[in-house]
Amino acid sequence: EQADKGCIARMMHAPSCPRPSSTYLAQTKSRGAPESGSRGASTSDGADDDATRAAIDELLSDPARRNVVHSYSLHAATEVEGGLKLHLVLKFRYDEALIEEYFGATKPSKAVEKRYGDAHRLFPYCIFNSIEETNISWTYQNKDGKVYERIELFVTVTSVTYSRYHPHILKLLCLKVGSDGTAKTGAINLRPELDEAGRPNVDFGVFKKETSEYRIADNGVETGDVVCRMVVRDLTKQSLGNSSGVYTRVYTVFLFEAPHGEDLTKFIIFSSLLVQLSIFMPALELADMIGSGLSLVLTQVALLFVMPATAEITTSETIVVGHACFLLLITLGLGVSIASSPEGAAHSSWQPCVVAADVGVALATAAWYRRERMAFKGLVGRVKDRLRAVHPFVGAFGAIDRHI
């Protein structure tokens, strides 16, 4: 790792040193978080960040590389099996000299050309998390040697869902755009288009509508709910079956916190209220008490069947399962006590104990939910930290790509 950092700091000055690698960017530590046993780690981390920024600046200003500026618009989005289907417009701006020499394409003879229904393109882009694409139109516009290329399409992309803390769910919509590695695209810097304030010039108005299934506030860029980063992938040493080179991509991530009020009411508040009904069970005779207890337990089990399917046990599931187990224990304890009495009579003397137990379960449920809610906020913070910029508009490829 130290050798890699040294190479980056000396990039462009020592021919044997590779350009900034995704390995190093992924290993960039948070400032002010020294490792145990390391003295002065926070100071070295600050120096590492400075070295990284300097290396990226040198990469972006390398005269042998050429810039392609990328932006896009989202017009519609809907959830489908396997991901999200988008009505997407990709936009690329570049110099006309790049078309034949760097893209390996043929320059159009007219200043404006349009095509409909095919997958034609000049800049050889890929959407790396796409699982289906349907092209609508392609437009080429050349004004005084400055090219504006516009591709409109329907695309289904994979998404990432963190459901461990259900009813609080974090969803990530990701757009991973880059070149296909052919021709001389290894010498292209694909950069996000920025506005005058230095923010990504991304049109995500579809997510600002009050009727949208997925919503983001107008200040989503400032809050970190919309992240657009250029990332650098170094394939000069290990090409992984691709053409050797330093490739750049533009990753855009939208963070959505799903509405949780309905599921909170159905699976946690309602389940907690069912538990409180057990205070009446000590006043019942054996058969009635067992029937009532089992009815409450089966109602809790029914809640499990209507919960969203997940790969791991969630907050809602732990609470409902805990409530069901508590009701089973109450039913079993009261049943044994009533059955062992001389005439099998109801034991109303147990009622204060059951009331105390119900209050304890309610407090434990509230404490557990609060703990899980705080853990969910911590998860959101960690996800945003992984997407943090190591440069004004460049992120760490490894740290981002491992999760999206």
Side-chain angles (χ1 to χ4, degrees):
E1 179 183 350
Q2 294 300 326
D4 190 32
K5 293 176 183 177
C7 284
I8 290 174
R10 300 189 303 273
M11 186 187 68
M12 305 288 291
H13 299 291
S16 62
C17 290
R19 300 190 188 279
S21 69
S22 59
T23 304
Y24 170 73
L25 294 178
Q27 292 171 342
T28 301
K29 304 179 185 67
S30 301
R31 297 190 197 101
E35 295 182 39
S36 58
S38 298
R39 188 172 298 176
S42 61
T43 303
S44 63
D45 287 347
D48 292 341
D49 284 350
D50 291 340
T52 302
R53 285 190 289 270
I56 292 172
D57 284 334
E58 214 160 348
L59 176 73
L60 296 176
S61 61
D62 184 352
R65 299 181 67 83
R66 297 293 183 266
N67 292 326
V68 174
V69 178
H70 169 53
S71 63
Y72 59 86
S73 301
L74 282 165
H75 296 306
T78 185
E79 192 166 2
V80 296
E81 185 177 357
L84 290 172
K85 188 169 186 178
L86 309 174
H87 181 186
L88 178 66
V89 176
L90 300 174
K91 306 168 187 177
F92 302 97
R93 291 177 170 84
Y94 49 84
D95 190 272
E96 66 177 2
L98 303 182
I99 297 175
E100 296 184 352
E101 181 180 357
Y102 286 83
F103 301 166
T106 302
K107 179 183 173 183
S109 57
K110 298 179 180 179
V112 178
E113 287 194 15
K114 294 179 179 287
R115 296 190 184 187
Y116 297 93
D118 63 19
H120 184 72
R121 66 197 69 179
L122 296 178
F123 176 68
Y125 75 86
C126 285
I127 303 175
F128 292 99
N129 62 322
S130 165
I131 55 178
E132 183 181 11
E133 297 180 25
T134 302
N135 286 77
I136 301 174
S137 67
W138 170 82
T139 302
Y140 166 86
Q141 183 173 313
N142 189 333
K143 185 176 181 180
D144 300 327
K146 302 301 180 182
V147 176
Y148 169 61
E149 186 176 3
R150 179 185 186 275
I151 301 99
E152 184 174 0
L153 70 160
F154 296 121
V155 58
T156 301
V157 296
T158 58
S159 59
V160 177
T161 301
Y162 294 91
S163 55
R164 159 65 181 82
Y165 300 104
H166 180 274
H168 299 283
I169 297 176
L170 178 65
K171 294 185 178 181
L172 273 59
L173 167 61
C174 317
L175 286 173
K176 303 163 68 172
V177 179
S179 68
D180 63 4
T182 58
K184 294 176 65 177
T185 51
I188 293 294
N189 290 331
L190 184 61
R191 304 172 62 161
E193 182 177 331
L194 306 177
D195 61 18
E196 295 179 353
R199 296 170 300 189
N201 194 17
V202 177
D203 180 5
F204 57 96
V206 63
F207 298 132
K208 297 180 182 179
K209 300 178 181 179
E210 294 183 358
T211 55
S212 295
E213 182 179 0
Y214 296 91
R215 293 189 60 190
I216 288 181
D218 293 341
N219 62 341
V221 175
E222 289 76 8
T223 60
D225 293 329
V226 180
V227 178
C228 188
R229 301 274 187 262
M230 169 184 163
V231 297
V232 182
R233 191 184 189 202
D234 188 354
L235 296 180
T236 53
K237 283 189 173 181
Q238 294 182 334
S239 64
L240 303 177
N242 303 292
S243 300
S244 178
V246 179
Y247 296 93
T248 57
R249 301 176 180 179
V250 172
Y251 282 8
T252 306
V253 184
F254 297 90
L255 285 79
F256 305 96
E257 289 190 34
H260 61 274
E262 180 182 355
D263 285 351
L264 175 64
T265 302
K266 287 194 302 185
F267 299 119
I268 296 180
I269 296 178
F270 178 67
S271 176
S272 299
L273 292 176
L274 285 176
V275 169
Q276 302 309 309
L277 294 177
S278 62
I279 63 175
F280 303 108
M281 291 171 58
L284 301 176
E285 294 186 357
L286 180 61
D288 295 333
M289 187 276 300
I290 292 177
S292 299
L294 292 179
S295 296
L296 293 175
V297 171
L298 291 175
T299 305
Q300 299 280 2
V301 172
L303 290 177
L304 295 174
F305 280 97
V306 297
M307 283 187 185
T310 57
E312 54 187 343
I313 190 166
T314 65
T315 302
S316 298
E317 289 171 336
T318 57
I319 289 175
V320 172
V321 169
H323 289 169
C325 291
F326 170 77
L327 290 170
L328 278 174
L329 290 175
I330 287 291
T331 303
L332 179 63
L334 288 174
V336 170
S337 176
I338 295 174
S340 61
S341 64
E343 298 180 359
H347 276 206
S348 56
S349 58
W350 274 62
Q351 193 159 10
C353 298
V354 174
V355 170
D358 286 351
V359 171
V361 168
L363 294 175
T365 299
W368 177 253
Y369 171 75
R370 184 179 183 278
R371 175 196 176 279
E372 294 286 272
R373 171 64 175 160
M374 296 301 295
F376 174 76
K377 290 183 177 180
L379 168 67
V380 175
R382 290 193 302 274
V383 170
K384 290 183 178 180
D385 186 62
R386 293 187 192 114
L387 302 175
R388 78 178 182 94
V390 295
H391 184 274
F393 57 88
V394 181
F397 172 79
I400 298 175
D401 205 65
R402 277 198 301 269
H403 296 277
I404 65 171

